[in-house]
Amino acid sequence: MLALLWKDLLLEFRTKERISSLFVLSFLIVLVFVFALSPEQIQGPAIEAALLWVTLVFAGMLSLQRAFLIEQERGCFSGLLLTPIEPGTLFLAKMLGNVLFLLLVELIVAPLSLALFSAPLLPSLFMLPVVLLLGTVGFSALGTLFAAIAVRTRAREVLLPVMLLPLLVPLLIAAVKVTSAVLTGEEWYGVWFRVLVAFDIIFVVTGWLIFSQVVQE
Amino acid sequence: MKRFAPFADGVLPWLTLTTMIAALVMVFLYVPNERVQGVVQRIFYFHLPAAWNTFLGFFIVAGASASYLWQGNRFSDLLAQAAAEIGMVFCTIVLITGSIWARPIWGVWWTWDPRLTMVVVLWAIYAAYLLLRHLAGDTEQIARYAAVLGIVGVLDIPLLHISVRLWRGIHPKIERGGLAPEMMWTLLMCTAAFLCLFTWLLWLRLRNLSLREEIVTLRRQAVAMM
């Protein structure tokens, strides 16, 4: 699994395509929000958390679109499947790779966008990465599963968000609630935190178990 | 499927027709007006059975998907597809009748109540499922992809239920013993009618799909023979 993960990371660090495009895209989405709403309207942790997560979801969607693209275009996926690797392991490696890319981008974009919204940064400095991690794991678990499906269909660009967004509703609500609690410095480990963790566990396990059905040729 | 055919073709249409007429008579002539909401409340007898059918459709999709992944028989795949299409129709009916009721009672066409939110997200999942089936191209993998989506969709329901419930809530609930006997009988008749309709539609669509598949195989054989 580590070798698979290493392969994806190495490919990325040779080109830095995915991370740099993700970073620029999420920065631009934040700018679009500021221009569309005007800075005075983006006030209070609720809306700041909401905009942050909308940005991350759309940027994450782009990252997922690319997750299987290289393998698909060059036909390497059948090669990967021929190796004696469990499909579940392949899923975990792909998912972790995606989590790492997204986290790297998020750790820059989240403080940056909060600064642009002139939100108070300091109270959330320790907990924000944890919330980002939990949200990203759930997002990547479902996302990797459906990216693998979407990349083998005709309308892959449309199909991925169409399948993913409705299923992400619980994650999105929970992540926004926890983030806004973190931003205000309220207690963050309440019921929403548990929903977030439950979502992560359920869909990492589901993806791990069901991935063999997706990649079967 | 063959064994079910005489019942489905001979009895089911008439059963649907009779229960439907009985349901209409009961809703419009038999059951008394609700005291507070008046005549508008009668839409509830169509709304609730349609909502049950929506969930029924969803669970059939999930069950058939699981059975397809497990055993790989074509019938489960066709069943999942048919149930998704019909579930989508009932889901749309739920949303429309709900809006018609909400306008005079709540004063708005739409509000973000947990159950409304839940149904609208279910609608989106159904839509994604059907889009996947249409857009995935004509490969043999679609069946497995759709089955994965069907299973993940049903796993999402409990989380969705919890999170929208925590999110907010004003939907009326039927309390135990809260329905007058006439209302109860009307509701039961409507449920029976909608259930018959659901089964009949499911049957028609299933037969339609399996005939289509037969045609495709025959055509392939014909091409191979030429």
Side-chain angles (χ1 to χ4, degrees):
Chain A
M1 188 178 106
L2 283 179
L4 282 173
L5 183 58
W6 184 240
K7 170 195 78 86
D8 275 6
L9 291 184
L10 202 63
L11 266 177
E12 174 59 30
F13 285 118
R14 293 269 162 79
T15 56
K16 299 189 187 58
E17 265 176 25
R18 207 155 132 194
I19 288 194
S20 49
S21 54
L22 271 183
F23 173 72
V24 176
L25 177 73
S26 25
F27 181 64
L28 286 173
I29 298 178
V30 172
L31 283 191
V32 166
F33 276 134
V34 176
F35 294 138
L37 286 171
S38 89
E40 290 75 32
Q41 275 176 303
I42 308 179
Q43 261 179 1
I47 192 161
E48 287 153 9
L51 294 188
L52 179 61
W53 276 102
V54 173
T55 308
L56 297 182
V57 163
F58 280 101
M61 214 67 86
L62 182 93
S63 164
L64 290 172
Q65 301 274 18
R66 305 196 52 95
F68 290 96
L69 208 57
I70 298 178
E71 277 101 343
Q72 186 70 17
E73 277 173 354
R74 314 212 178 132
C76 304
F77 213 78
S78 338
L80 273 181
L81 290 176
L82 284 176
T83 57
I85 305 170
E86 290 276 315
T89 317
L90 189 57
F91 169 78
L92 291 181
K94 277 289 175 190
M95 191 199 86
L96 276 182
N98 204 60
V99 169
L100 284 180
F101 293 145
L102 284 180
L103 262 189
L104 267 179
V105 176
E106 283 165 10
L107 288 179
I108 310 170
V109 169
L112 188 67
S113 58
L114 290 179
L116 287 178
F117 302 151
S118 43
L121 257 180
L122 283 178
S124 58
L125 215 50
F126 296 107
M127 277 320 295
L128 196 60
V130 178
V131 181
L132 287 177
L133 174 71
L134 286 174
T136 309
V137 167
F139 176 83
S140 304
L142 271 189
T144 309
L145 188 61
F146 287 109
I149 289 179
V151 78
R152 291 136 177 254
T153 60
R154 267 185 288 138
R156 55 175 80 129
E157 293 83 6
V158 192
L159 213 45
L160 179 64
V162 164
M163 292 190 290
L164 205 48
L165 287 176
L167 298 171
L168 283 177
V169 168
L171 178 91
L172 195 63
I173 301 179
V176 169
K177 293 283 178 190
V178 179
T179 310
S180 100
V182 164
L183 288 180
T184 41
E186 284 170 22
E187 81 176 45
W188 46 265
Y189 43 80
V191 63
W192 287 113
F193 187 76
R194 270 174 264 156
V195 172
L196 202 54
V197 174
F199 191 98
D200 286 3
I201 295 173
I202 291 177
F203 287 118
V204 170
V205 173
T206 311
W208 179 60
L209 288 176
I210 217 169
F211 199 63
S212 61
Q213 296 291 339
V214 174
V215 294
Q216 235 175 60
E217 308 239 311
Chain B
M1 210 168 151
K2 288 256 152 58
R3 255 190 312 164
F4 189 59
F7 168 74
D9 284 329
V11 183
L12 209 47
W14 297 107
L15 202 61
T16 312
L17 185 70
T18 340
T19 47
M20 211 41 117
I21 290 173
L24 282 173
V25 169
M26 284 177 90
V27 169
F28 289 107
L29 301 175
Y30 166 69
V31 81
N33 261 348
E34 209 262 349
R35 194 148 44 92
V36 186
Q37 301 178 6
V39 73
V40 189
Q41 187 264 348
R42 286 169 199 250
I43 204 169
F44 153 85
Y45 301 110
F46 301 108
H47 180 71
L48 193 61
W52 282 336
N53 275 355
T54 305
F55 282 97
L56 178 66
F58 219 95
F59 285 105
I60 292 179
V61 171
S65 300
S67 136
Y68 178 74
L69 288 186
W70 212 280
Q71 299 170 329
N73 55 344
R74 288 297 296 153
F75 175 74
S76 315
D77 179 43
L78 298 184
L79 180 64
Q81 181 176 358
E85 287 172 356
I86 293 158
M88 176 82 164
V89 172
F90 281 105
C91 198
T92 314
I93 292 176
V94 174
L95 290 173
I96 293 172
T97 52
S99 283
I100 294 172
W101 176 85
R103 177 68 198 157
I105 301 298
W106 286 339
V108 284
W109 293 106
W110 184 262
T111 172
W112 292 100
D113 164 82
R115 295 194 193 194
L116 276 75
T117 315
M118 177 99 179
V119 172
V120 88
V121 177
L122 285 188
W123 191 91
I125 298 178
Y126 267 136
Y129 182 92
L130 294 177
L131 265 180
L132 173 66
R133 287 229 174 231
H134 276 282
L135 293 177
D138 231 1
T139 63
E140 284 172 9
Q141 288 169 331
I142 320 174
R144 269 204 316 274
Y145 294 167
V148 169
L149 182 56
I151 290 173
V152 173
V154 88
L155 288 175
D156 210 53
I157 288 184
L159 285 167
L160 196 61
H161 182 74
I162 297 170
S163 51
V164 295
R165 183 60 75 76
L166 287 169
W167 196 42
R168 46 189 49 209
I170 60 165
H171 200 284
K173 276 191 230 102
I174 307 170
E175 273 150 36
R176 200 172 279 272
L179 275 187
E182 290 95 341
M183 293 180 168
M184 201 45 149
W185 287 116
T186 312
L187 180 61
L188 281 177
M189 183 51 87
C190 283
T191 310
F194 267 66
L195 214 59
C196 288
L197 182 65
F198 184 94
T199 324
W200 188 36
L201 287 175
L202 191 68
W203 164 253
L204 289 179
R205 185 63 182 141
L206 255 179
R207 199 176 48 183
N208 177 284
L209 283 172
S210 61
L211 283 177
R212 196 175 66 181
E213 204 160 79
E214 217 168 294
I215 290 174
V216 171
T217 6
L218 284 177
R219 195 178 285 155
R220 230 176 255 155
Q221 282 170 357
V223 170
M225 268 157 61
M226 272 196 294

